Amino acid sequence: NHQIIIHNVPQGDDEKELHKAVSNSVQTRLETAMQELQQKHRDGTNEIDDGERAPTGAAYRELHRRQQFMAREEKKQHAELEERQRREENRKVGELKEHMRRMKFQQNDGDEGGNENENENNDDSDSEEDYDHLLDECETDPTLLQIRQSRLAELRQLQSTRAEHLSLGHGQYRTITQDEFLPECTGKSKHVAVHFFHNEFERCKIMDFHLKSIAEEFVECKFVRMDAEKAPFFVAKLKVKTLPTLLVFEEGKEVGRLTGFEGLAMDATKPDEWHTGRLKEWLADKGAIRYE
């Protein structure tokens, strides 16, 4: 609390001098308050370092840790894909060389006729260098080169798409909060599958088991789970009345809903016994994954 104190105002001074003294006092008061506020800020007494507000809180550290993990996984996936591409190219070159060798041998067999003795005498002339020279020419063939370049472009596109999906949280089965629901389901991911679960429901645990396996295999769709007890707004908004409930969103719009294990069991007398392939087929039918 600050009081405005007017100093040294002689009796009989005019109103102008009085206003000047008041103004000076107010200015002094404001400067003092500003200095106190700045000191509080420097001492940290004006901020609370917790998980809700501070950038050093637990929630932010967890987000940073997750981002670092995703970056490492993306780099690892990139290296593995490059290695697979290199092996695939080497395999194709080997198959092409073997194919050309067989063609050469077939040509020689067709020319045998009455020249069998001549072919026997000239076996040494068809040396390994001759075959390699022929195969090297194949590698410069415009048609073969175009096929190879097209395949490489396709592999690069697949690699780029996979890396983008991983950066968005695909390839894993995560638990999200009610506050994270809209950013996760209406963001850049085209397809998102959300499992509304309850911790004490055995059927929800069965669904978790299958979805975790599918999420790691099919990175084109994001798979998340949300505790129905902690998400009353979206439970009511989306009219979730039975658990487990699996919703599929395409570009933010619901395109599929699986209530319980409806239609998954092969034997109606054993509704809880079904294999992961049945759920894959359901997801593929909704366009969430590519599965045949």
Side-chain angles (χ1 to χ4, degrees), residues 78-116:
H78 179 75
E80 290 178 353
L81 184 56
E82 284 188 340
E83 178 63 18
R84 287 198 297 269
Q85 290 177 355
R86 186 185 63 80
R87 291 179 181 177
E88 179 67 13
E89 288 302 314
N90 290 340
R91 184 186 66 81
K92 288 185 177 182
V93 170
E95 289 180 352
L96 180 60
K97 288 184 176 182
E98 180 62 24
H99 176 67
M100 295 304 301
R101 284 194 178 95
R102 290 178 181 177
M103 290 179 60
K104 182 67 175 177
F105 284 129
Q106 290 173 359
Q107 181 180 358
N108 289 341
D109 291 340
D111 292 341
E112 280 184 355
N115 299 323
E116 183 175 348

Side-chain angles (χ1 to χ4, degrees), residues 6-167:
I6 303 176
H7 299 281
N8 301 322
V9 182
Q11 189 70 22
D13 277 358
D14 57 19
E15 186 177 354
K16 183 176 181 180
E17 289 296 328
L18 177 62
H19 283 301
K20 182 178 180 181
V22 171
S23 177
N24 290 339
S25 181
V26 170
Q27 182 64 29
T28 302
R29 173 189 169 190
L30 291 177
E31 290 176 355
T32 301
M34 183 61 68
Q35 290 173 359
E36 291 178 356
L37 184 61
Q38 290 175 347
Q39 185 62 40
K40 285 183 179 181
H41 182 75
R42 285 193 297 269
D43 294 342
T45 58
N46 200 40
E47 296 292 338
I48 301 177
D49 189 16
D50 60 20
E52 295 297 327
R53 297 175 57 191
T56 58
Y60 293 88
R61 290 198 302 271
E62 174 61 21
L63 177 61
H64 180 64
R65 186 198 65 78
R66 185 185 300 175
Q67 290 174 340
Q68 287 184 322
F69 173 78
M70 293 304 301
R72 289 195 299 268
E73 285 296 308
E74 181 177 346
K75 185 177 180 180
K76 180 181 176 182
Q77 293 289 342
H78 179 75
E80 290 178 353
L81 184 56
E82 284 188 340
E83 178 63 18
R84 287 198 297 269
Q85 290 177 355
R86 186 185 63 80
R87 291 179 181 177
E88 179 67 13
E89 288 302 314
N90 290 340
R91 184 186 66 81
K92 288 185 177 182
V93 170
E95 289 180 352
L96 180 60
K97 288 184 176 182
E98 180 62 24
H99 176 67
M100 295 304 301
R101 284 194 178 95
R102 290 178 181 177
M103 290 179 60
K104 182 67 175 177
F105 284 129
Q106 290 173 359
Q107 181 180 358
N108 289 341
D109 291 340
D111 292 341
E112 280 184 355
N115 299 323
E116 183 175 348
N117 292 334
E118 181 180 352
N119 288 337
E120 291 177 356
N121 293 333
N122 293 330
D123 280 344
D124 293 339
S125 63
D126 292 331
S127 63
E128 186 67 25
E129 288 83 3
D130 294 331
Y131 292 127
D132 287 340
H133 177 69
L134 179 61
L135 296 171
D136 289 340
E137 291 181 353
C138 292
E139 293 184 11
T140 60
D141 182 88
T143 302
L144 294 177
L145 283 176
Q146 184 178 4
I147 294 174
R148 180 179 182 182
Q149 291 172 355
S150 176
R151 178 56 179 164
L152 286 174
E154 181 181 352
L155 290 174
R156 291 192 188 98
Q157 180 60 40
L158 290 174
Q159 175 187 352
S160 176
T161 302
R162 179 181 178 84
E164 180 181 2
H165 284 154
L166 292 176
S167 69

